[in-house]
Amino acid sequence: MKLLSVIVPCYNEEENVADFYHELLKTESFFKSKDVEIEIIYVNDGSKDNTVAEVKKLHEKDERVHLVNFSRNFGKEAAIYAGLKTSKGDFVVMLDADLQDPPALLPEMYRYIAEEGYDSVATRRVDRKGEPPIRSFFARRFYSLINKMSKTEIVDGARDYRLMTRQFVDAILSMEEYNRFSKGIFGWVGFNTKWLEFENIERKKGETKWSFWKLFIYALDGIIAFSTTPLAFASILGVLFCILAFIFIIFIFVRALIFGDPTSGWPSLVCIISLVSGVQLFCIGIVGQYLSKTYLEVKKRPIYLIKDEF
Ligand code: UDP
Ligand code: MG
């Protein structure tokens, strides 16, 4: 008998916990026929609603249901890491609690791993139906930008819905960084990944935890975690400004020699000073971003804290 661990990060998902369970169990007969047992690990990421009570109810009826209960909200990335760490399965899959990742795809995903020898099967949505157009626009820009800046491939529309072998999971767990950007980490470890596509499914119940601002910060974190191009960009900007200043100096010098030096040009001076100081602050800001991430990394704080589990 092999074991499949199903990891479900939950933050205020009381309405979805049971629905998810029933939807997942529809694949049970398939896995039984393949001699695969299922365990479900709900990771409660500091929910303020009755998510824990809902999971307890399921656990009382079915001991294959487990809970990892965080001491507070640590974010989805931490929940994924905790789930992977707790899982014991030969195969591990992660899905959102809101049924936006259809469990019905699982048999097909499993076949790619068991029969075609892939190390992981990942999913991407091919459209962004039901999403505000402005968000889609920025998401597209983000993916094209980060793929230009980073050597690690980060797939547009990739979901965290992914089935993995134990070896793949162990590779992910060996990356113990504090600033976790899963979309990059999955690409970084390599191995053979099969991509499946599906059409976007809107959230059944409850609401999304991602505001535009949260997504923006997440995008910046992703760039900083998987690219040092902004640092190089700051240096290049510095060199460009030096060259520009040098040309300017020669121009002023020659002009003073030919026409003398009437004391004018105060407005242009103010413009130049404010422009240059703006660019300097911008570049210091970039360096600061990397420094702050390094600071958090160096502290070696735990990625999550568990209050209780069963
Ligand atoms: N989630 C989490 N911690 C958070 C935010 C979200 O564990 O701080 C979980 C959430 O419960 C859900 C999944 O991550 O199962 C995806 O969240 P959501 O559906 O809000 O994101 P979206 O699908 O809108 O990108
Ligand atoms: Mg969702």
Side-chain angles (χ1 to χ4, degrees):
M1 267 300 214
K2 299 235 169 181
L3 180 66
L4 169 71
S5 304
V6 180
I7 298 168
V8 197
C10 297
Y11 178 50
N12 296 341
E13 302 281 9
E14 58 179 5
E15 298 161 292
N16 290 317
V17 167
D19 286 3
F20 176 86
Y21 172 78
H22 293 118
E23 196 62 36
L24 180 76
L25 285 198
K26 288 183 186 162
T27 63
E28 195 186 4
S29 54
F30 168 83
F31 283 109
K32 265 215 177 106
S33 75
K34 299 280 175 195
D35 263 348
V36 177
E37 270 181 296
I38 298 180
E39 67 165 356
I40 309 172
I41 304 167
Y42 287 97
V43 183
N44 175 44
D45 186 13
S47 299
K48 291 177 187 71
D49 63 1
N50 290 320
T51 301
V52 172
E54 288 294 319
V55 178
K56 266 201 183 121
K57 260 194 240 162
L58 291 178
H59 175 72
E60 273 153 23
K61 277 185 272 164
D62 184 347
E63 4 176 86
R64 295 173 300 173
V65 176
H66 302 278
L67 174 78
V68 175
N69 193 15
F70 281 1
S71 62
R72 65 168 169 84
N73 180 255
F74 281 89
K76 188 185 176 188
E77 300 291 342
I80 290 176
Y81 187 71
L84 292 178
K85 240 190 166 157
T86 317
S87 70
K88 297 183 212 67
D90 306 281
F91 309 101
V92 181
V93 66
M94 288 169 318
L95 312 87
D96 287 359
D98 57 7
L99 290 173
Q100 278 188 295
D101 300 328
L105 272 181
L106 273 172
E108 190 186 347
M109 292 166 87
Y110 178 77
R111 269 189 221 109
Y112 278 110
I113 287 196
E115 286 161 25
E116 300 200 15
Y118 283 98
D119 303 293
S120 89
V121 182
T123 57
R124 59 184 288 261
R125 47 181 185 169
V126 282
D127 62 325
R128 292 177 167 271
K129 200 176 62 196
E131 197 184 59
I134 182 100
R135 181 177 291 194
S136 306
F137 173 79
F138 278 105
R140 293 243 154 74
R141 292 284 80 72
F142 164 71
Y143 282 108
S144 84
L145 187 71
I146 196 168
N147 278 311
K148 278 194 195 108
M149 296 208 296
S150 172
K151 284 196 200 96
T152 307
E153 201 201 353
I154 291 155
V155 179
D156 188 357
R159 304 212 31 104
D160 292 328
Y161 184 15
R162 190 183 274 262
L163 178 65
M164 300 161 276
T165 60
R166 179 45 46 189
Q167 189 188 25
F168 193 94
V169 172
D170 288 341
I172 301 286
L173 289 176
S174 72
M175 296 177 75
E176 292 172 329
E177 58 209 72
Y178 182 78
N179 297 291
R180 302 189 74 76
F181 183 67
S182 282
K183 288 186 192 337
I185 290 176
F186 289 137
W188 193 90
V189 296
F191 296 98
N192 270 342
T193 297
K194 169 83 188 166
W195 284 94
L196 295 184
E197 297 183 341
F198 66 88
E199 271 171 32
N200 192 32
I201 301 166
E202 288 184 48
R203 183 180 250 280
K204 287 255 161 60
K205 294 174 183 167
E207 53 193 53
T208 175
K209 277 89 207 172
W210 293 91
S211 63
F212 185 80
W213 183 241
K214 251 181 147 179
L215 277 174
F216 183 72
I217 302 281
Y218 182 64
L220 283 188
D221 285 349
I223 291 175
I224 291 165
F226 278 88
S227 165
T228 47
T229 309
L231 287 173
F233 175 72
S235 319
I236 292 169
L237 212 62
V239 172
L240 274 182
F241 265 75
C242 284
I243 294 172
L244 214 69
F246 194 67
I247 295 170
F248 208 51
I249 288 168
I250 293 174
F251 169 73
I252 302 258
F253 188 74
V254 173
R255 196 182 64 171
L257 278 184
I258 299 170
F259 300 107
D261 183 19
T263 330
S264 65
W266 188 83
S268 52
L269 207 60
V270 171
C271 293
I272 293 166
I273 289 177
S274 28
L275 175 70
V276 171
S277 45
V279 171
Q280 277 179 345
L281 280 179
F282 177 68
C283 292
I284 293 175
I286 292 179
V287 178
Q289 284 297 318
Y290 283 88
L291 186 65
S292 72
K293 294 294 171 203
T294 313
Y295 176 60
L296 289 174
E297 217 57 73
V298 163
K299 280 195 195 179
K300 288 220 168 297
R301 285 184 180 163
I303 295 169
Y304 60 87
L305 289 173
I306 294 177
K307 189 172 152 212
D308 47 31
E309 58 187 321
F310 52 73

